Amino acid sequence: MKKHLLIPVLFIALLQNTIAIAQELKPANLFSTGMVLQQNAPVPVWGTAKPNSKVTVTFDTQKETTKADKNGKWMLKLAPLKASKIGKDMVISADTEIVLSNVLVGEVWICSGQSNMQFKVNSVPEIKSLEPFARNIRTFQVKNIVSLEEADDVTGRWEVTTPSSAVAFGFAYFLESIGDVPVGIILSSWGSSSIEAWMPRDMTNDLPYFKTIMDDFDKDVTTQNRLKKAINSPKGWNIKEDIFMRRQPNVVYNAMMKPLAPYACQGLVWYQGERNTRYLSGVPEVTEANWFHKVSGMKEYGDILKLWIENYRKQWLNENMHFAIVMLPGYGKGTHTTPTIDSKSPTAESWAWMRESQLQALDLKNTSVINTIDLGSETNIHPTDKFPIGQRLALLAAKNTLGIDVLAAGPMLDKVEAKNNTLTVHLKNSTGLKTNNKKSPTGFWIADASLNWKIANAKIEGETVILQNKDIAHPEFIRYAFAGKPDVNLVNSANLPAYPFRTDAD
């Protein structure tokens, strides 16, 4: 061989060897010892291998084979599996063999959102006390990180342990108990992140405001370089950089959600919205000081949420993927422009508008909204009363996804009848309608055409509530629990609170 050809030939050989090593058989990080697979649904399994090599996955009685593509990527699907509390081996083979042991089959849920989803078990004694009694619960904790491009894999692994999140653990504990089935939680959440942080770039096709945000982001070289520096820092990043990263649009989705699809799961629990309560409506003009305010307002959130759900279902190739939305609980502060409010007022710029938007998720099939209107804190955006949230999530999941016959939701508005000077409220889920303190129902306001709101005198008759006010001769409209931190006491026989509503249009 001529000397001048030696170096290029050696370089090519070295490069080919490096590629071969890099593409040796490897499942995606979601597939590891101790994992939980979704029952009663096709189960995609994927990873990398040498280009064009044959890959076989064996689990239980199934054996499926596929071929890696020219880039070494492969995916196959196992047929629907039956629930199993007995750990089994999954064997993945190509030129080498990988054995993933102690694999259970049950219910898999992604738990995502911002800080109230991250809120730790150790901060809620009632939930902490359940840990010794937990059985058949596994957790995959997704590392908090961002990416400028859609990532192929996540950082994390399955652990035979309960989630660190109070809400996620409470949900898993009660679901496992009610359903008598293993539960796997994929925990992917990050404090103070907006819904825009969790939105894929292709949602710019549906939402002009998000296209504007992403166009501005793409032009912002300073921000991109700052993100790259934090991501690549060998020492990690400080809290200031951490906040900066998680408050950017799209990049959290790229790193922490996109690589999870299409892992088979029953659904996604979404506890987010606080970051999007800063404005009643619209995307504000931002300055260097309030750069992180560039998010949608409360009134727009409902339509965005529905598009977001539909987009995720496409990512998971599952139009029946269930979405359980945790309603924001009571809170006494207002918006950025009107921070001080009367937390009992039905007209203040409060979280009531966000709750109304969150309830729009029910316009879509296979959705739930967990009512928290009786929970929360006047002054603490991170309330500790997370125990009921886990219970209510589990009840709705058991009813809506496992088909268990249980009263899972509180009373919801059905219709209103006007007669003389009264309004009669008919409710769904109203079996055993009562108040939890044996007093008259509270939280109802009524108005005539002038929209001059007055507190209603309310009384329960059967499974209806009769409303009136001596100063309103012809009441037309109702707002119930439509306030930042309303005082409410209306429940059904399962002691589940009535959902907030209003009957007037904007």
Side-chain angles (χ1 to χ4, degrees), residues 83-136:
S84 174
K85 299 177 184 178
I86 301 173
K88 300 177 182 178
D89 291 345
M90 174 181 284
V91 179
I92 305 174
S93 58
D95 54 324
T96 58
E97 183 175 277
I98 296 173
V99 179
L100 308 178
S101 60
N102 195 17
V103 177
L104 304 184
V105 180
E107 290 294 284
V108 178
W109 283 83
I110 299 165
C111 289
S112 188
Q114 52 181 112
S115 53
N116 276 303
M117 178 58 83
Q118 275 191 296
F119 197 84
K120 300 300 183 183
V121 168
N122 290 342
S123 298
V124 186
E126 303 96 317
I127 296 178
K128 178 71 174 176
S129 68
L130 300 176
E131 285 185 332
F133 307 101
R135 300 289 184 271
N136 301 311

Side-chain angles (χ1 to χ4, degrees), residues 30-43:
L30 280 164
F31 301 93
S32 65
T33 289
M35 66 182 166
V36 181
L37 301 178
Q38 176 62 39
Q39 67 171 338
N40 303 327
V43 176

Side-chain angles (χ1 to χ4, degrees), residues 122-196:
N122 290 342
S123 298
V124 186
E126 303 96 317
I127 296 178
K128 178 71 174 176
S129 68
L130 300 176
E131 285 185 332
F133 307 101
R135 300 289 184 271
N136 301 311
I137 297 173
R138 309 282 177 83
T139 305
F140 187 102
Q141 173 77 56
V142 177
K143 180 182 178 181
N144 288 352
I145 196 168
V146 300
S147 174
L148 293 172
E149 304 292 337
E150 292 184 352
D152 289 327
D153 212 348
V154 289
T155 301
R157 65 177 183 176
W158 284 96
E159 300 279 359
V160 183
T161 187
T162 55
S164 61
S165 157
V167 168
F169 173 47
F171 168 54
Y173 179 87
F174 290 111
L175 183 61
E176 193 276 338
S177 177
I178 297 170
D180 190 26
V181 64
V183 175
I185 297 295
I186 301 174
L187 185 58
S188 184
S189 58
W190 207 344
S192 75
S193 55
S194 63
I195 193 172
E196 288 80 9

Side-chain angles (χ1 to χ4, degrees), residues 216-261:
D216 290 346
F217 178 82
D218 291 342
K219 297 172 186 174
D220 190 350
V221 177
T222 301
T223 289
Q224 293 182 46
N225 287 338
R226 185 174 172 184
L227 291 175
K228 291 176 184 177
K229 182 178 179 181
I231 295 167
N232 296 318
S233 172
K235 297 181 180 180
W237 49 83
N238 58 33
I239 185 61
K240 185 176 180 180
E241 295 303 308
D242 190 275
I243 293 171
F244 183 78
M245 294 167 72
R246 57 181 130 128
R247 291 184 179 178
Q248 300 301 328
N250 173 246
V251 294
V252 176
Y253 165 84
N254 286 345
M256 296 181 61
M257 192 63 74
K258 173 62 178 177
L260 302 181

